[in-house]
Amino acid sequence: MDIIESKTWVEWLITIGKFAFCFVPVLYILLLIPMERRGAGFMQDRQGPNRSYIKIPYFGKIRLLGYVQNMCDGTKLFFKEMFAPKGANKFLYYVAPAIPFAIVFLSPCVIPWFGPMVFEWGGKTVRIAGSIVDSDVGVLLLFGLSSLSAYGAVLAGWASKSKYSFLGALRTSSMTISYEVCLGLSMMGILLLAGSFNLTDIVNWQEHHVWGIVAQPVAFFCFLIASIAETGRAPFDVAEGEPELVAGYHTEYGAMQFGLFYMGEYSHICINSFLIATLFLGGYSVPFVTTETMQAHMGGSLAILFGVLAFLALAFLHLIYRYSAKLAKRAQSNKMEILQEYKLYKLIAWVAVVVFVALGACAWLFYNPANFVVNGFAVGSLATAVGTALIHLLVLVVKSVFFCWVWIWVRWTLPRFRYDHVMHLGWKIILNIALINLVVTAVIAKLVGGN
Amino acid sequence: MIVLDHRGKRQSLMPLNVGPSHPATHGCLRFLTALDGETIVASVEEIGYLHRGFEKMVERGTWQQVVPYTDRLNYCSAIMNNIAYCRAVENMFGVEITERCKVLRVIVNELSRINDHFVCVAAAFQDLGGTTPFMYAFNPREEIMCIWEKLTGARLTNSYSRIGGLARDSYDGFEQDVLAALDSTEKALKDLHACLDRNRIFLDRTVGIGKISAEKAISYGWTGPCLRACGVASDLRKDEPYYDYETYDWEVVVGTQGDCNDRLQVRLAEIEESMKIVRQALKRLTPGPIDIVDPRIRVPSHKLAYQDMEGLIGRFKSVYEGIRVPEGEYYCGSECANGELGFTIISGGSGHPYRIKVRPPCLTQFAAFHELVEGGQLADSMAVLSGLNIIAGELDR
């Protein structure tokens, strides 16, 4: 009871509300799958999936720029029959796909989504950490969790009773272990500079000094390569190398079991991009602006935020209008259908522009924390804290989406490594570079900064 | 699987069956491997999964009716097979086809070669995990396919050639379409070279993989781009020229060490040579007759059949009895995309072939497959397989 009473209800609300961040990787899957498919189409001079549609009144067939295809695929996977090959270890076979997916919900707990919220509430200063678990060994916990997902692949490969799956499982386990080492070592430099394992402290250090990518450029590239390898995506997808191993460890899986592996992979990408953004790109911190400055000019900051959103909506509108004009000139049989569909997007985007502009103007003109009083209770400080958190979150999302795109970019650019080349790269090149980087960083840090 | 190696030492190997239904065995190929870890210690290839009895089937029809069957040999360049077969029969007759037919055959031959090489290189990329170059290679291929649609009415199994001529003349705007296709081919080649020439991952996976010496390749009976990759400048278009190939300005491309990378690079370079030939041939394309005017070889046109007694008889006889090829045994090989496609033809003088034996270029190359992969990694075998361009259609017939 003491614990419960030691905090006010607002504190409890926010603390519990933070658990919603567990679902961020799952949301990212929804973002990443269409991004990957259309991104692949973009890079390969083709359209990508864009034919599935939902029919609604007036606007007709709505394809959501190809997004409906992913819903269809998800539905298909969901309703397909689940089966296990003869002779497979049934229990492990069914449990294995759940492991990587379960970790998806655990991994986000240590990532700081926003700076610590500090606000006055009922005469007391309340401080709420930006991550779900504000742990002093945050990074280690994250690594521990994310390397657990290798168990899923290993068990799946072993339990399937197929040689292809088995070879895939062997490859994936050795690769995950090797690159886990590289990942840890390349990260040590920035930990050394920040002097903490706590991710919030690391972001804080970057906010007040320089971003990790500037302080540790070599480590950044090592980390990027190692984390691409750790997710087991192309060009490091030897574990599911299609030509030789059919589909690697998930050869025998179908239906949603396969879907779970698939989603596990995508959310692993999400977690790793958040990690890179946090360690090397200043995490939630806004470039060139400290949190204190931002909070001092909260109204202006929010106005800029909404302005940026309005600009994005306008850019989207520009694309839609330009394409509609091009389409109108073409002799395409389904032209009218598409133009009708675009009316919906135009409507939504115009509404968004108006709303964002209005919100921005309101924030600019009327934001004054001192005036915010509800039932005689000053909430201005809370409003500023929430506003800061929102901006932080958005900045972090933008940074991580950029890294997600890097994953897709790399995948559709490079051919696949051979298994022994991957090992060679990991143990003989990246590991050594990371070690040298660590030693050099340590020496320089000692010479320049004392401890 | 416990085996004894040649020194009598016990070895524990894992047998792995690759194919016939496997993502990398395009068509239906199969090879059994014995793996030590990931290294292939022994490999045995097995053929016959796509056996359709080509050689028996063709004995039932007339000579002209063989043409659609030849489409299914190397289905990536169907027209080349048509032409190779028709050339063999025409040589038995000892007739010379018309000038326009020759030039048109050269053009479609070389376009098919471009097509086939693109498929091979694209598939090789796909097997090495590069999906984007695959698409880059397929864009110009699509344009050539559209030309096929307009020219022959079909995309894959064209059956364009006939003994003594072609199924139909080219259409209006054929030259422009071909030139446009060549332009996009050039662009795709540039993209492909950008993707593979200096890509460390790609080079690591192909240079020195699946190496074979020129002597060994010849002893296996290799022909075509795979043999040329070993450094042997052997090309039937130069060695035993036909269709005036010797008068065009082009080079035989040879590789240096006969590895996987050489085989792919030779193919890409051959696309460039083929483009040269097509450009020159387009300039030589003058209006004129397509078919031989001889009712004993080429079926007379409808106009002749309706207005002329001899035409009607000729049409009747060549449709119902088939053309009568002179008695005898004859072999004729043509340089197809994969190598020498030869037809050994035995004719009894009747309207039906007595026996047609195909010499597919793939068979000899696939026969050497185990030598190329043994000692390498499992992943290498895929690079080798797609680099050889084994087409199950002509391998198994």
Side-chain angles (χ1 to χ4, degrees):
Chain A
M1 282 322 266
D2 287 346
I3 293 174
I4 294 173
E5 278 164 14
S6 70
K7 295 186 177 180
T8 59
W9 63 268
V10 173
E11 249 179 300
W12 276 115
L13 190 73
I14 295 174
T15 307
I16 291 166
K18 277 196 302 189
F19 278 96
F21 285 115
C22 284
F23 292 94
V24 168
V26 184
L27 291 178
Y28 259 60
I29 295 168
L30 297 179
L31 172 77
L32 271 169
I33 293 174
M35 193 159 123
E36 167 127 286
R37 290 176 152 189
R38 295 310 292 267
F42 168 64
M43 295 183 74
Q44 301 181 344
D45 297 346
R46 61 184 173 89
Q47 285 285 309
N50 62 356
R51 294 303 164 100
S52 316
Y53 60 82
I54 299 169
K55 215 164 186 174
I56 60 167
Y58 184 68
F59 295 109
K61 295 171 174 174
I62 296 301
R63 300 172 303 168
L64 296 176
L65 310 168
Y67 201 90
V68 178
Q69 178 74 43
N70 310 300
M71 299 185 207
C72 297
D73 284 350
T75 320
K76 183 201 78 171
L77 282 180
F78 208 78
F79 286 106
K80 268 174 94 171
E81 184 194 352
M82 295 213 289
F83 69 95
K86 203 175 165 189
N89 185 326
K90 286 275 161 51
F91 176 71
L92 289 181
Y93 181 80
Y94 284 121
V95 162
I99 296 174
F101 194 67
I103 288 161
V104 168
F105 291 98
L106 291 175
S107 314
C109 63
V110 288
I111 291 175
W113 301 96
F114 42 80
M117 286 169 80
V118 183
F119 56 89
E120 302 284 327
W121 189 262
K124 272 200 300 184
T125 306
V126 179
R127 187 182 186 281
I128 295 170
S131 47
I132 301 168
V133 180
D134 190 24
S135 167
D136 278 342
V137 289
V139 190
L140 300 181
L141 192 61
L142 190 65
F143 277 126
L145 286 172
S146 69
S147 48
L148 272 182
S149 64
Y151 278 94
V154 173
L155 287 179
W158 183 78
S160 303
K161 202 167 188 293
S162 153
K163 282 174 192 164
Y164 291 119
S165 307
F166 185 61
L167 281 173
L170 288 183
R171 284 181 177 189
T172 203
S173 52
S174 58
M175 211 173 76
T176 314
I177 290 168
S178 319
Y179 277 90
E180 214 55 59
V181 178
C182 304
L183 211 57
L185 269 178
S186 52
M187 181 191 63
M188 287 312 283
I190 190 84
L191 297 185
L192 211 81
L193 292 175
S196 169
F197 277 110
N198 190 327
L199 280 164
T200 315
D201 290 351
I202 296 170
V203 176
N204 223 356
W205 182 85
Q206 292 180 64
E207 197 178 342
H208 292 103
H209 295 80
V210 280
W211 280 4
I213 189 171
V214 181
Q216 293 275 307
V218 180
F220 168 73
F221 284 106
C222 292
F223 193 84
L224 186 65
I225 293 168
S227 54
I228 290 174
E230 202 221 359
T231 49
R233 291 254 309 178
F236 299 94
D237 57 346
V238 289
E240 41 191 284
E242 186 210 338
E244 60 263 24
L245 295 186
V246 190
Y249 57 85
H250 56 65
T251 305
E252 304 291 338
Y253 284 89
M256 210 52 206
Q257 296 163 312
F258 162 74
L260 288 178
F261 276 124
Y262 193 66
M263 297 199 291
E265 184 189 303
Y266 276 111
S267 41
H268 206 153
I269 295 170
C270 158
I271 296 290
N272 276 8
S273 352
F274 270 117
L275 197 59
I276 295 182
T278 307
L279 287 176
F280 292 99
L281 231 62
Y284 52 74
S285 68
V286 188
F288 310 118
V289 184
T290 58
T291 309
E292 291 77 28
T293 331
M294 205 168 69
Q295 277 172 339
H297 307 90
M298 200 60 224
S301 307
L302 282 175
I304 291 170
L305 173 72
F306 288 122
V308 169
L309 290 175
F311 174 76
L312 287 177
L314 276 173
F316 175 72
L317 268 174
H318 172 69
L319 286 178
I320 290 280
Y321 272 105
R322 207 174 62 171
Y323 186 65
S324 311
K326 233 196 238 172
L327 194 68
K329 281 186 206 140
R330 265 195 244 156
Q332 202 171 316
S333 58
N334 61 346
K335 190 164 79 178
M336 295 322 290
E337 247 171 41
I338 294 175
L339 289 177
Q340 192 70 14
E341 178 194 347
Y342 281 179
K343 278 185 191 165
L344 179 69
Y345 306 152
K346 284 177 192 169
L347 181 73
I348 294 172
W350 276 122
V351 169
V353 170
V354 172
V355 168
F356 286 142
V357 169
L359 281 173
C362 289
W364 180 261
L365 297 174
F366 307 116
Y367 193 89
N368 186 1
N371 292 348
F372 289 175
V373 177
V374 179
N375 292 343
F377 216 82
V379 295
S381 167
L382 176 64
T384 305
V386 171
T388 317
L390 274 181
I391 294 174
H392 277 162
L393 187 61
L394 199 83
V395 169
L396 182 61
V397 165
V398 169
K399 286 172 184 171
S400 67
V401 167
F402 170 73
F403 278 109
C404 289
W405 169 246
V406 170
W407 251 265
I408 292 165
W409 187 4
V410 167
R411 170 169 184 184
W412 298 107
T413 307
L414 296 174
R416 182 180 300 119
F417 276 99
R418 204 171 74 189
Y419 172 62
D420 55 333
H421 292 160
V422 174
M423 288 293 133
H424 180 268
L425 180 74
W427 287 106
K428 294 192 184 158
I429 299 174
I430 295 188
L431 188 68
N432 291 349
I433 294 176
L435 260 176
I436 292 167
N437 178 62
L438 176 61
V439 172
V440 171
T441 311
V443 169
I444 292 176
K446 184 76 188 168
L447 290 178
V448 175
N451 265 324
Chain B
M1 189 169 77
I2 306 285
V3 293
L4 297 179
D5 69 0
H6 58 278
R7 285 189 302 275
K9 229 174 96 189
R10 276 164 67 89
Q11 247 187 321
S12 174
L13 303 178
M14 182 172 88
L16 184 73
N17 174 31
V18 184
S21 189
H22 186 278
T25 56
H26 320 287
C28 260
L29 309 170
R30 181 187 181 201
F31 58 98
L32 286 153
T33 55
L35 294 179
D36 178 16
E38 291 257 340
T39 313
I40 297 178
V41 179
S43 160
V44 180
E45 56 269 36
E46 192 177 341
I47 64 167
Y49 284 92
L50 214 61
H51 180 65
R52 287 128 21 226
F54 169 86
E55 287 162 9
K56 203 68 200 165
M57 277 194 293
V58 296
E59 289 168 18
R60 294 178 59 90
T62 62
W63 289 92
Q64 293 281 21
Q65 282 172 349
V66 177
V67 172
Y69 286 120
T70 59
D71 280 341
R72 277 86 179 161
L73 287 177
N74 182 348
Y75 36 71
C76 294
S77 52
I79 296 184
M80 287 187 108
N81 311 325
N82 302 160
I83 293 175
Y85 166 71
C86 291
R87 195 172 84 85
V89 180
E90 282 152 13
N91 281 1
M92 284 189 85
F93 274 114
V95 293
E96 186 82 354
I97 52 169
T98 60
E99 188 55 36
R100 183 173 169 84
C101 181
K102 255 186 211 169
V103 178
L104 261 179
R105 279 191 184 184
V106 166
I107 294 174
V108 290
N109 233 341
E110 295 311 311
L111 282 179
S112 306
R113 196 184 309 277
I114 292 175
N115 234 346
D116 193 281
H117 286 346
F118 266 140
V119 176
C120 171
V121 175
F125 262 116
Q126 176 76 32
D127 285 352
L128 294 175
T131 22
T132 304
F134 175 82
M135 289 293 166
Y136 289 166
F138 262 56
N139 284 341
R141 184 178 178 272
E142 176 60 29
E143 283 195 29
I144 296 174
M145 284 300 211
C146 288
I147 295 177
W148 285 175
E149 267 180 66
K150 287 188 193 172
L151 190 66
T152 70
R155 285 169 68 85
L156 197 68
T157 51
N158 313 90
S159 304
Y160 182 51
S161 181
R162 295 286 182 277
I163 298 164
L166 292 169
R168 53 179 75 78
D169 203 346
S170 66
Y171 57 91
D172 288 344
F174 174 69
E175 288 86 349
Q176 285 81 344
D177 279 3
V178 172
L179 283 175
L182 290 186
D183 285 345
S184 62
T185 304
E186 227 161 68
K187 185 176 166 286
L189 275 181
K190 216 174 120 222
D191 287 347
L192 282 174
H193 279 301
C195 282
L196 71 82
D197 279 1
R198 290 189 302 152
N199 188 328
R200 186 40 48 197
I201 303 175
F202 177 77
L203 292 180
D204 276 353
R205 289 210 55 185
T206 54
V207 174
I209 303 298
K211 235 177 175 171
I212 190 164
S213 67
E215 293 77 40
K216 205 153 220 177
I218 291 170
S219 79
Y220 268 106
W222 281 25
T223 48
C226 293
L227 178 63
R228 290 196 281 276
C230 306
V232 183
S234 135
D235 193 318
L236 284 179
R237 290 173 292 172
K238 282 268 193 223
D239 301 343
E240 304 166 13
Y242 52 95
Y243 298 156
D244 304 333
Y245 265 118
E246 72 277 17
T247 59
Y248 295 95
D249 175 30
W250 63 284
E251 305 287 325
V252 175
V253 184
V254 289
T256 48
Q257 44 177 351
D259 59 5
C260 213
N261 190 43
D262 271 3
R263 290 196 270 272
L264 295 176
Q265 291 286 6
V266 161
R267 285 202 166 85
L268 285 180
E270 271 188 23
I271 290 175
E272 274 172 40
E273 298 302 319
S274 290
M275 279 163 54
K276 270 195 219 165
I277 299 177
V278 173
R279 288 227 160 95
Q280 292 165 42
L282 278 178
K283 287 189 189 127
R284 296 187 191 185
L285 197 63
T286 46
I290 279 290
D291 295 330
I292 297 174
V293 189
D294 184 348
R296 285 169 301 175
I297 299 174
R298 183 79 182 101
V299 63
S301 67
H302 274 102
K303 203 181 153 205
L304 271 179
Y306 291 146
Q307 295 175 358
D308 189 51
M309 193 60 203
E310 271 88 49
L312 183 63
I313 294 171
R315 197 169 178 91
F316 180 80
K317 286 192 76 94
S318 64
V319 170
Y320 276 84
E321 290 176 9
I323 54 174
R324 287 168 188 276
V325 175
E327 216 170 306
E329 188 173 335
Y330 190 79
Y331 173 82
C332 171
S334 303
E335 183 69 29
C336 281
N338 264 347
E340 178 178 351
L341 178 66
F343 288 92
T344 307
I345 300 177
I346 305 176
S347 168
S350 73
H352 307 279
Y354 179 75
R355 171 102 167 90
I356 292 181
K357 165 79 177 72
V358 182
R359 184 226 177 266
C362 285
L363 186 69
T364 53
Q365 285 153 27
F366 199 48
F369 180 70
H370 64 275
E371 288 219 9
L372 303 182
V373 299
E374 273 170 13
Q377 298 247 325
L378 182 61
D380 289 340
S381 69
M382 302 308 158
V384 171
L385 188 66
S386 43
L388 286 178
N389 195 18
I390 308 292
I391 308 282
E394 67 177 7
L395 178 72
D396 296 338
R397 279 136 30 237

